[in-house]
Amino acid sequence: EIAGVPIADSRLEQLRANASIEPVLVDDDGTPLAIGKRFSVLSPKIVRAVLLRDHCCQICRRRHRLQIHHLRPRSWGGTDEISDLAAVCSTCHPDLVPHGPYALVGNPNVPGRPAQGPPRRPHPRTTRTDRPPTTESGAGTVT
């Protein structure tokens, strides 16, 4: 709940994924006495380990603007263990559960075998539109 209003699990998961914690010490009246150092929900060591393991987005293979995705969202019983995390780019991340229609599955810790998700597609920024598509003997359009 936020201010007494219930929120959907998918929205809670989105808020949690982007959250940081800033501890505040208050007295009995609620007056702040001290503010601690802000930190991410996922530890920097776990984030670094996932990025070192995956090197790129597990969907489009992009190497920039990577985020950490829970294969099984915490609201669905997932954990913050490395085996439940994968690197995805900020463009592909909204396509994955609980916000989108796709799910990454598999064990990302198996070397050379990334988690499997939606079909890989060209990244919007790398799609070539400067040349017309060609066809191969009526078999379909090839770009």
Side-chain angles (χ1 to χ4, degrees), residues 42-121:
L42 287 175
S43 80
K45 288 181 181 181
I46 289 179
V47 171
R48 189 169 49 249
V50 172
L51 293 176
L52 285 171
R53 179 196 65 201
D54 293 351
H55 301 291
C56 62
C57 175
Q58 297 299 292
I59 298 170
C60 72
R61 298 296 186 216
R62 185 178 187 190
R63 293 183 177 267
H64 304 287
R65 299 177 64 204
L66 296 177
Q67 301 174 344
I68 304 302
H69 172 71
H70 284 81
L71 299 179
R72 184 172 179 183
R74 297 226 359 133
S75 61
W76 297 1
T79 67
D80 289 340
E81 293 180 21
I82 294 174
S83 62
D84 191 36
L85 303 171
V88 295
C89 74
S90 59
T91 302
C92 295
H93 205 177
D95 293 340
L96 300 172
V97 295
H99 315 295
Y102 299 109
L104 284 174
V105 296
N107 184 351
N109 285 331
V110 175
R113 197 173 141 224
Q116 299 299 308
R120 287 184 170 74
R121 61 194 189 284

Side-chain angles (χ1 to χ4, degrees), residues 20-39:
S20 60
I21 298 172
E22 184 175 49
V24 178
L25 177 64
V26 296
D27 64 12
D28 292 336
D29 298 325
T31 305
L33 300 174
I35 298 175
K37 184 177 179 182
R38 180 178 292 176
F39 59 94

Side-chain angles (χ1 to χ4, degrees), residues 115-140:
Q116 299 299 308
R120 287 184 170 74
R121 61 194 189 284
H123 197 276
R125 288 189 178 181
T126 60
T127 302
R128 292 195 61 176
T129 58
D130 59 340
R131 62 184 171 150
T134 60
T135 60
E136 293 182 74
S137 62

